[in-house]
Amino acid sequence: MAWPNIFQRGALLSRFSHHHMVVFLLTFFSYSLLHASRKTFSNVKVSISKQWTPSAFNKSTELLPVEIWSSNHLFPSAEEATLFLGTLDTIFLFSYAVGLFISGIVGDRLNLRWVLSFGMCSSALVVFIFGTLTEWLHFYNKGLYCSLWILNGLLQSTGWPCVVAVMGNWFGKAGRGVVFGLWSACASVGNILGACLASSVLQYGYEYAFLVTAAVQFAGGIVIFFGLLVSPEEIGIPGIETEENFEEDSHRPLINGAENEDEAEPNYSIQEGNTVSQVKAISFYQACCLPGVIAYSLAYACLKLVNYSFFFWLPFYLSNNFGWKEAEADQLSIWYDVGGIIGGTLQGFISDMLQKRAPVLALSLLLAIGSLVGYSRSPNDKSINALLMAITGFFIGGPSNMISSAISADLGRQELIQGSSEALATVTGIVDGTGSIGAAVGQYLVSLIQDNLGWMWVFYFFILMLSKGGSLVSWVNVDILHDPHL
C-alpha cells in the first residue's frame, strides 16, 4: 500500500513550479524574521537585567550621584528584574494568543499578503522603539515596556496564520507531512538567525541587537508586500483542491452506460459552484467544532509551554546555571533549534509514510520525557550539553512543528468543509492561539518556580506538561488521522 503513495507523491512533486519554490522560501523567511526578533529579546535578557538593576550603574557609589542612579534603575535587585522579564514574556504571549484568534479570522477575509506585510513592518517598528530607542534616550519605564510588548504580540500574531494559509493554498495533502515538516523549521531557523545576529553585535550594547533584527524584519515585510503570491489562482494555475478532486475522480471506476454519463454533468456543475463559494469563510465556532481541533489545540498548549520555555529561557539558564558568558550561551542554544529542525522534518516524513500522525507524536513526546530527564542532569561541559540539547529539541521541537503546521493544515482542509475552504487561517489561529495561552501561563510559572524552588523543579514541571500533551494526542479522534485524504 505504501508504494502507490510514493509514486503519487513523485507525480505531485513533478507538478511543482518555480512559483511553489518562491512561495515556500518567502513564507519560510518571513516567519523566520518574526521569530528572530523574538529570539533577540531572550538572548539579551542578561544584559537587560544588568541595565535595569543598580549593579549596572552603582559600581562605585562615591563616583556616581544617587540622582543619576535613580533615573536609570527600574529594580532594586536582579531577582525582581528577572521576574519582570518573565512577566514581559507572559503578556507578550497572552496578547499574541488573543491576536492569533483575531488574525486567523481576518486572514480568511482579507488579502493574506497585506495582513502579513503590515504585521511584519509594524512589529519591526515596535521592536525598534522597545529595545533601541528607549536605550538611546535612556528612558526606562515599566508601563511603556509592557504596552509596547502587548502591541508587539498583537502585531506578530498576524504571521503564523497567514503563512500557514498561504502554504496550504499552494501545497496539497500528498506529502504534506514532509513538506510542512521541512518548512516549519522556519521558526528554528529564525531562532538561530536571531541568536547569531544578537551575539554578533552584543558587545556594542543590547540596543544594537534589537536594531539589526528590526531593520531586517522591516525589509522582509516590504519584500513580502511586493513579491508574495497568496494562491495559485492569482497567476492562473489550478488550485490544489481542483487537482485533488481530479485525482480522486481519476481513481474511481469507469463504468459505461448512459446513466453514469448523465450523472457526470451535475458533478462538474457542483464543482464549479464550490469554486465560487470558496470565498466564504467559516465562523470561529464552526472551526472549533471541527473534529480534532480542540484536542490538538489543548495538546499544543502543553507542548508549546515547554517549547517556548526553552525558547525564552535557555540562554538565561545556561548563563546563570553554568556561569557561561552570555554570547557563548546564545550560540550554544542554537543546538536546541537544530534538533527541532531535524525532528520536524523526519517525523513529518514518517507520518506521511504511515499516513498516521498521532502515533508518531505520542512516541516522540514519550521519548521527550526521557531526554528532559537527561538534559536536566547535564554536566558543566559544553559539548555534552549541546548534544543533550539537540536530542531534547528533536523530541520536543519536532512534534511542536508538526502540530502547528502540517496538522493545522490537515484540520483546516477536512472534507467536512470542502465547500468553504477559507478556514485554514482560522483553524491555524485557534490551534496556535490556544498553544500561546499555555505558553503565556508557562513563562510566568517558570520564573516563579525557578525563583522559589530552583531549575530542577522547572524540569519536573516540563515533564508533567509533556505527559498531559501526549495523553491528549493519544485521545484524538483516530478517524480524522486515518482519513486517507489527510
Side-chain angles (χ1 to χ4, degrees):
M1 182 175 180
W3 288 105
N5 292 326
I6 294 175
F7 290 124
Q8 289 173 13
R9 293 186 186 102
L12 179 67
L13 290 172
S14 66
R15 293 201 299 270
F16 284 173
S17 66
H18 72 280
H19 296 293
H20 291 81
M21 181 58 67
V22 171
V23 169
F24 184 99
L25 292 176
L26 284 178
T27 53
F28 185 97
F29 284 107
S30 64
Y31 195 72
S32 294
L33 294 178
L34 287 170
H35 242 263
S37 66
R38 298 183 209 171
K39 184 64 175 177
T40 299
F41 178 66
S42 65
N43 286 336
V44 300
K45 277 183 175 178
V46 174
S47 296
I48 293 178
S49 178
K50 291 180 179 178
Q51 191 77 353
W52 286 352
T53 53
S55 59
F57 301 96
N58 208 21
K59 295 179 180 178
S60 178
T61 55
E62 297 178 357
L63 299 178
L64 191 61
V66 175
E67 58 270 15
I68 296 180
W69 172 81
S70 299
S71 65
N72 286 284
H73 93 288
L74 278 177
F75 304 98
S77 64
E79 289 75 16
E80 292 191 24
T82 301
L83 190 60
F84 182 70
L85 290 172
T87 302
L88 285 177
D89 290 337
T90 301
I91 63 175
F92 170 84
L93 286 172
F94 267 122
S95 61
Y96 181 73
V98 173
L100 282 169
F101 293 118
I102 300 172
S103 298
I105 298 173
V106 172
D108 279 334
R109 288 159 174 79
L110 298 180
N111 189 295
L112 292 168
R113 184 178 70 253
W114 298 348
V115 177
L116 179 58
S117 178
F118 170 78
M120 291 182 67
C121 293
S122 301
S123 172
L125 292 175
V126 172
V127 170
F128 169 75
I129 296 172
F130 177 92
T132 305
L133 189 60
T134 54
E135 179 60 28
W136 283 350
L137 299 177
H138 298 291
F139 183 78
Y140 309 98
N141 183 274
K142 288 184 286 187
L144 176 64
Y145 285 133
C146 290
S147 300
L148 288 173
W149 229 222
I150 289 173
L151 180 60
N152 188 38
L154 293 173
L155 293 172
Q156 287 234 351
S157 68
T158 60
W160 191 247
C162 290
V163 293
V164 172
V166 172
M167 283 290 292
N169 290 338
W170 280 90
F171 295 89
K173 298 170 184 175
R176 179 177 285 160
V178 65
V179 172
F180 274 78
L182 180 62
W183 175 83
S184 64
C186 57
S188 298
V189 170
N191 295 342
I192 295 172
L193 178 62
C196 292
L197 291 176
S199 60
S200 64
V201 298
L202 192 57
Q203 56 182 321
Y204 305 108
Y206 75 83
E207 64 271 23
Y208 291 98
F210 285 105
L211 175 63
V212 172
T213 53
V216 175
Q217 180 180 312
F218 188 89
I222 299 299
V223 173
I224 289 297
F225 182 81
F226 289 103
L228 181 63
L229 293 173
V230 171
S231 65
E233 288 86 349
E234 289 188 356
I235 53 175
I237 298 178
I240 61 170
E241 287 193 349
T242 303
E243 294 180 358
E244 288 166 355
N245 290 335
F246 176 77
E247 288 180 357
E248 290 173 7
D249 291 339
S250 66
H251 293 315
R252 292 173 184 169
L254 300 177
I255 305 176
N256 294 328
E259 179 180 356
N260 292 288
E261 292 178 0
D262 293 337
E263 292 175 355
E265 284 298 321
N267 287 338
Y268 286 106
S269 63
I270 291 173
Q271 177 61 38
E272 186 176 2
N274 287 342
T275 303
V276 175
S277 65
Q278 285 176 3
V279 295
K280 297 180 180 179
I282 68 173
S283 67
F284 180 85
Y285 175 76
Q286 289 173 319
C288 288
C289 292
L290 291 174
V293 170
I294 295 299
Y296 269 118
S297 297
L298 294 175
Y300 190 51
C302 299
L303 184 55
K304 192 170 184 177
L305 184 154
V306 179
N307 196 42
Y308 260 54
S309 295
F310 274 89
F311 170 76
F312 280 118
W313 290 101
L314 186 54
F316 187 87
Y317 165 74
L318 295 174
S319 180
N320 281 265
N321 195 58
F322 297 107
W324 298 334
K325 294 181 180 179
E326 188 175 15
E328 294 176 343
D330 291 345
Q331 294 174 354
L332 193 66
S333 66
I334 290 174
W335 287 103
Y336 179 83
D337 296 298
V338 171
I341 293 173
I342 300 173
T345 305
L346 183 58
Q347 292 172 35
F349 175 76
I350 295 174
S351 69
D352 275 346
M353 297 301 296
L354 297 177
Q355 294 188 346
K356 301 175 183 178
R357 307 217 193 274
V360 178
L361 291 175
L363 178 60
S364 181
L365 292 177
L366 179 62
L367 295 174
I369 295 175
S371 67
L372 269 179
V373 173
Y375 185 72
S376 66
R377 290 164 172 77
S378 173
N380 192 348
D381 183 278
K382 294 179 182 177
S383 299
I384 298 178
N385 192 284
L387 176 62
L388 294 174
M389 189 187 304
I391 295 174
T392 303
F394 182 94
F395 291 119
I396 297 178
S400 179
N401 291 343
M402 280 187 62
I403 293 178
S404 62
S405 58
I407 291 178
S408 293
D410 290 344
L411 296 173
R413 288 200 177 273
Q414 300 181 43
E415 288 190 342
L416 293 175
I417 50 174
Q418 284 295 309
S420 179
S421 66
E422 298 299 324
L424 188 49
T426 302
V427 171
T428 304
I430 293 172
V431 174
D432 203 21
T434 306
S436 296
I437 291 176
V441 175
Q443 301 325 297
Y444 183 76
L445 292 177
V446 165
S447 60
L448 199 62
I449 294 172
Q450 187 275 328
D451 188 49
N452 291 278
L453 300 174
W455 284 108
M456 187 56 67
W457 282 93
V458 173
F459 285 105
Y460 293 152
F461 175 59
F462 290 164
I463 292 173
L464 177 63
M465 290 297 101
L466 289 180
S467 301
K468 288 183 175 295
S471 63
L472 285 167
V473 167
S474 302
W475 176 78
V476 172
N477 188 343
V478 295
D479 291 335
I480 293 300
L481 296 177
H482 292 179
D483 190 334
H485 301 300
L486 295 178

